[in-house]
């Protein structure tokens, strides 16, 4: 089927295509309406290695900077460890942190780590984020021997939800409904083996059509 034929087919079934698209959009909008709001609390921390406290040398070499960045990446990995997650859950009296989504990013040029916690409770998200910073500092000192992990900005309870993006999901539903309608129309046309015009006759019999009988009205 050529693109021109597809457009002709869709034009022929335009009402069906519109109906399916609107139905999928409406269903997606209703589902999104009942989705719970998500709140994201963010905190930043700075990794202080023991070499930072050495006042005898105030010149940082390239190897020191590279080592510091690698240390920061290691601390970022510790944030996501099961040990820290279990400690945080225990401190907050939670069975697990399954209801919270954790996102950790570390800069490639600094020792700053950004931690974002997303959940349905704004106060809970902030509490989990701050608890992570406290526990990570203790674990990093114990396991890696770092000086400390200092808080730059403590997490606060967000006032506005960070998700879900209901408009985006609704648009996805619209596009999905349109694609579904196109698929149904195309599949229905492919399965229709009836002879509709002279072109179908030529394809079926392999002989040219040399004439047509006019459509006569009954008397």
């Amino acid at each position: 089927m050529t693109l021109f034929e597809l457009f002709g087919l869709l034009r022929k079934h335009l009402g069906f295509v519109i109906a399916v698209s609107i139905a999928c959009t409406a269903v997606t909008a209703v589902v999104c309406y009942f989705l719970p709001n998500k709140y994201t609390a963010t905190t930043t921390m700075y990794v202080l290695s023991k070499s930072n406290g050495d006042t005898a040398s105030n010149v940082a070499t390239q190897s020191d900077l590279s080592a510091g960045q690698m240390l920061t990446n290691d601390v970022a990995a510790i944030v996501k460890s099961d040990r820290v997650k279990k400690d945080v859950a225990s401190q907050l009296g939670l069975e697990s942190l399954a209801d919270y989504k954790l996102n950790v990013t570390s800069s490639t040029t600094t020792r700053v780590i950004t931690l974002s916690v997303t959940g349905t409770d704004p106060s809970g998200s902030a509490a989990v984020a701050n608890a992570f910073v406290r526990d990570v500092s203790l674990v990093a000192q114990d396991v890696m021997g770092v000086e400390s992990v200092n808080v730059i900005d403590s997490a606060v309870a967000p006032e506005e939800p960070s998700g879900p993006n209901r408009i985006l999901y609704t648009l996805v539903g619209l596009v999905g409904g349109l694609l579904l309608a196109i698929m149904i129309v195309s599949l229905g046309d492919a399965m229709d083996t009836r002879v509709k015009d002279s072109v179908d006759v030529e394809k079926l019999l392999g002989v040219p059509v040399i004439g047509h009988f006019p459509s006569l009205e009954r008397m």
Side-chain angles (χ1 to χ4, degrees):
M1 180 184 295
T2 65
L3 188 60
F4 180 77
E5 292 174 338
L6 177 60
F7 283 145
L9 186 62
L10 294 178
R11 183 178 179 181
K12 182 180 178 181
H13 299 85
L14 184 60
F16 175 78
V17 173
I18 294 176
V20 172
S21 301
I22 293 177
C24 290
T25 303
V27 170
T28 305
V30 171
V31 172
C32 289
Y33 178 80
F34 289 101
L35 289 177
N37 287 331
K38 298 291 186 178
Y39 297 87
T40 301
T42 302
T43 180
T44 54
M45 62 195 89
Y46 183 81
V47 180
L48 183 66
S49 62
K50 288 186 175 181
S51 60
N52 293 129
D54 186 5
T55 58
S57 175
N58 56 7
V59 179
T61 64
Q62 183 64 34
S63 60
D64 292 334
L65 295 176
S66 299
Q69 291 167 11
M70 292 180 62
L71 184 65
T72 303
N73 293 334
D74 292 340
V75 173
I78 289 178
V79 175
K80 296 180 286 187
S81 66
D82 290 337
R83 171 180 174 178
V84 173
K85 291 180 180 179
K86 290 180 181 178
D87 289 345
V88 171
S90 177
Q91 292 174 23
L92 299 176
L94 302 174
E95 294 184 0
S96 69
L97 298 178
D99 295 334
Y100 295 93
K101 180 181 179 182
L102 186 69
N103 184 41
V104 183
T105 57
S106 57
S107 173
T108 58
T109 56
T110 68
R111 298 185 183 184
V112 176
I113 298 175
T114 301
L115 169 64
S116 298
V117 177
T118 302
T120 56
D121 179 19
S123 299
S125 297
V128 170
N130 291 324
F132 260 105
V133 177
R134 293 192 298 268
D135 194 75
V136 165
S137 181
L138 296 175
V139 174
Q141 293 177 48
D142 179 41
V143 176
M144 303 174 60
V146 301
E147 184 72 19
S148 63
V149 179
N150 298 331
V151 178
I152 301 175
D153 295 310
S154 297
V156 295
E159 298 180 356
E160 298 293 333
S162 58
N165 192 335
R166 293 180 173 85
I167 296 178
L168 177 61
Y169 291 167
T170 302
L171 291 177
V172 171
L174 173 61
V175 174
L178 181 60
L179 294 178
L180 177 63
I182 293 175
M183 183 180 66
I184 294 175
V185 170
S186 300
L187 184 61
D189 182 72
M191 296 179 63
D192 187 0
T193 58
R194 294 176 299 175
V195 177
K196 306 179 188 65
D197 51 33
S198 59
V199 176
D200 291 340
V201 173
E202 290 182 353
K203 291 181 179 180
L204 181 63
L205 301 179
V207 295
V209 176
I210 58 176
H212 298 270
F213 288 102
S215 178
L216 302 177
E217 296 182 358
R218 293 185 178 181
M219 300 299 294

